[in-house]
């Protein structure tokens, strides 16, 4: 069973770029037909799918985040990274990385494996 672990700063100032890393163990991020996603949950709201990087390196983003989001990977470290620019307090949320076999990529509930989540607060 693949395991995922998010790391990054717990506090980010408005207008800065948030950067989070997901370290994967028990499986490779280049395994065929797997996708690796970032999902967040703001306080009092539901899960929001932000974007995904597929096993061969292609990326897809939610229209809600596309202009501010970049997902990349380091295959040598078996990690993938989220960068969210120009953050505001509305970006305060628990951020999760998740994975699943290719299928419905935009529905958070379709992901089988999840990290424990990391709280990010945007505040000056």
């Amino acid at each position: 069973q693949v395991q995922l672990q998010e790391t990054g700063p717990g506090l980010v100032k408005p207008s800065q770029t948030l950067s989070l890393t997901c370290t994967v163990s028990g499986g490779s991020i280049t395994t065929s037909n797997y996708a690796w996603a970032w999902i967040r949950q703001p306080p009092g709201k539901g899960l929001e799918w932000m974007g995904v990087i597929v096993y061969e390196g292609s990326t897809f983003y939610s229209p809600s985040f596309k202009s501010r989001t970049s997902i990349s990977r380091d295959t040598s470290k078996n990690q993938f990274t989220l960068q969210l620019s120009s953050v505001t307090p509305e970006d305060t949320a628990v951020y999760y990385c998740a994975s699943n076999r290719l299928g419905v990529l935009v529905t958070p509930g379709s992901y089988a494996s999840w990290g424990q989540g990391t709280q990010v607060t945007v505040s000056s």
Side-chain angles (χ1 to χ4, degrees):
Q1 179 74 8
V2 66
Q3 295 181 328
L4 303 95
Q5 177 67 57
E6 306 90 349
T7 54
L11 180 64
V12 183
K13 293 183 177 180
S15 81
Q16 291 186 339
T17 295
L18 166 66
S19 183
L20 297 174
T21 296
C22 183
T23 300
V24 178
S25 58
S28 172
I29 61 173
T30 61
T31 299
S32 292
N33 298 322
Y34 271 79
W36 309 86
W38 285 99
I39 298 165
R40 75 179 191 180
Q41 186 167 28
K45 297 184 179 180
L47 294 167
E48 300 177 340
W49 181 82
M50 301 181 70
V52 67
I53 186 164
V54 184
Y55 69 97
E56 29 67 299
S58 299
T59 53
F60 304 92
Y61 301 104
S62 166
S64 300
F65 300 101
K66 187 174 183 178
S67 64
R68 303 194 289 135
T69 303
S70 177
I71 298 175
S72 59
R73 67 180 185 174
D74 185 336
T75 57
S76 68
K77 295 180 180 179
N78 214 33
Q79 295 174 333
F80 62 105
T81 299
L82 169 74
Q83 289 194 312
L84 180 66
S85 64
S86 304
V87 297
T88 72
E90 287 65 43
D91 293 309
T92 295
V94 177
Y95 286 76
Y96 299 92
C97 55
S99 72
N100 202 35
R101 292 183 64 85
L102 287 180
V104 178
L105 299 179
V106 302
T107 304
S110 68
Y111 286 82
S113 299
W114 292 71
Q116 64 183 23
T118 186
Q119 173 70 47
V120 176
T121 300
V122 180
S123 175
S124 56

